């Protein structure tokens, strides 16, 4: 028996598995976050008016692998432990605003600059493109 989480069984195809309803909602929000922008786990829960940061984090951990998981982040701006390097590749490619790490920071990895990177769910893709062009 595998330690991997099992997706619910149902009429879904291999390309589009069937997820629990709350997970589908969380993943839909993750898909709407423009490149170069982020929402915290709490932001997603608030947007959905359902659940909380821990529930959103659990959904992302179990089902978020095919979604832009790097755009749903911790409220302190720290990169997701164990996924820092993969996330950094995405952040750099998308122009996500980062704060330089201090020399005391373990691994000297930057943090997300939440003041500039945080997305409130408004605006258009053109707004996001303009944002990444100016950062």
């Amino acid at each position: 028996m595998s330690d991997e989480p099992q997706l619910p069984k149902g009429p879904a195809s291999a390309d589009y598995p069937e997820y629990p309803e709350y997970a589908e909602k969380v993943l839909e929000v993750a898909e709407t976050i423009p490149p170069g922008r982020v929402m915290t786990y709490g932001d997603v829960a608030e947007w959905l008016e359902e659940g909380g940061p821990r529930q959103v984090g659990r959904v992302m951990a179990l089902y978020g692998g095919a979604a832009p998981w790097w755009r749903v982040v911790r409220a302190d701006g720290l990169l997701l432990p164990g996924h820092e390097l993969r996330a950094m590749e995405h952040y750099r490619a998308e122009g996500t605003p980062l704060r330089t790490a201090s020399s005391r920071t373990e691994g000297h990895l930057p943090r997300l600059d939440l003041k500039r990177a945080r997305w409130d769910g408004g605006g258009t893709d053109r707004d996001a493109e303009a944002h990444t062009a100016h950062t």
Side-chain angles (χ1 to χ4, degrees), residues 20-71:
E21 184 179 348
Y22 185 71
E24 292 227 8
K25 291 177 184 180
V26 169
L27 296 174
E28 285 174 12
V29 173
E31 292 286 343
T32 65
I33 302 169
R37 305 299 294 271
V38 299
M39 290 179 91
T40 67
Y41 298 121
D43 292 341
V44 173
E46 186 177 323
W47 177 265
L48 292 173
E49 297 179 345
E50 187 177 353
R54 289 178 189 257
Q55 289 82 7
V56 171
R58 182 77 174 150
V59 166
M60 294 305 295
L62 291 175
Y63 307 110
W69 54 266
W70 59 93
R71 296 183 192 149

Side-chain angles (χ1 to χ4, degrees), residues 57-118:
R58 182 77 174 150
V59 166
M60 294 305 295
L62 291 175
Y63 307 110
W69 54 266
W70 59 93
R71 296 183 192 149
V72 182
V73 301
R74 294 170 42 146
D76 60 8
L78 288 175
L79 305 186
L80 186 63
H83 301 280
E84 300 94 333
L85 298 178
R86 286 181 49 219
M88 282 303 300
E89 290 174 17
H90 291 290
Y91 297 142
R92 288 187 173 126
E94 295 181 357
T96 307
L98 301 168
R99 290 181 25 212
T100 305
S102 73
S103 59
R104 292 177 290 176
T105 305
E106 185 176 332
H108 306 290
L109 286 170
R111 283 185 184 209
L112 291 160
D113 184 342
L114 288 177
K115 285 185 180 180
R116 296 188 312 144
R118 203 170 201 165

